[in-house]
Amino acid sequence: VSRRAAPIPAKLFVGSVSDATTNASLRKHFEQHGPLVEAVVITNRDTGASRNFGFVTLVDRKDAARTIDATHHS
């Protein structure tokens, strides 16, 4: 009998995103490195303008280190 635990998600902070970055473009950039649960650019609740950071939630925390290495400074 093979047992495998469910994957544990990992949420990564993504800083210094451009004003033009959207949830969809952030997702597209990070999906190249593994499956995602979500990708969110944080916006100002009053103006809707980007706050120039976001979060990406990976399906499996085992992909986190590889994803960080691949996307650092990109």
Side-chain angles (χ1 to χ4, degrees):
V1 174
S2 175
R3 294 184 183 196
R4 182 173 171 174
I8 299 171
K11 185 175 270 191
L12 305 178
F13 171 81
V14 182
S16 301
V17 299
S18 74
D19 290 335
T21 303
T22 63
N23 293 347
S25 65
L26 186 63
R27 175 178 281 277
K28 184 176 179 181
H29 183 72
F30 277 85
E31 276 183 328
Q32 301 172 52
H33 307 287
L36 303 179
V37 174
E38 69 177 345
V40 179
V41 175
I42 304 303
T43 58
N44 181 299
R45 79 178 93 184
D46 296 328
T47 65
S50 172
R51 295 196 52 207
N52 301 102
F53 71 93
F55 295 94
V56 174
T57 305
L58 305 174
V59 170
D60 194 342
R61 68 183 174 151
K62 292 177 183 175
D63 296 330
R66 183 176 43 81
T67 301
I68 291 168
D69 289 341
T71 59
H72 192 64
H73 293 297
S74 65

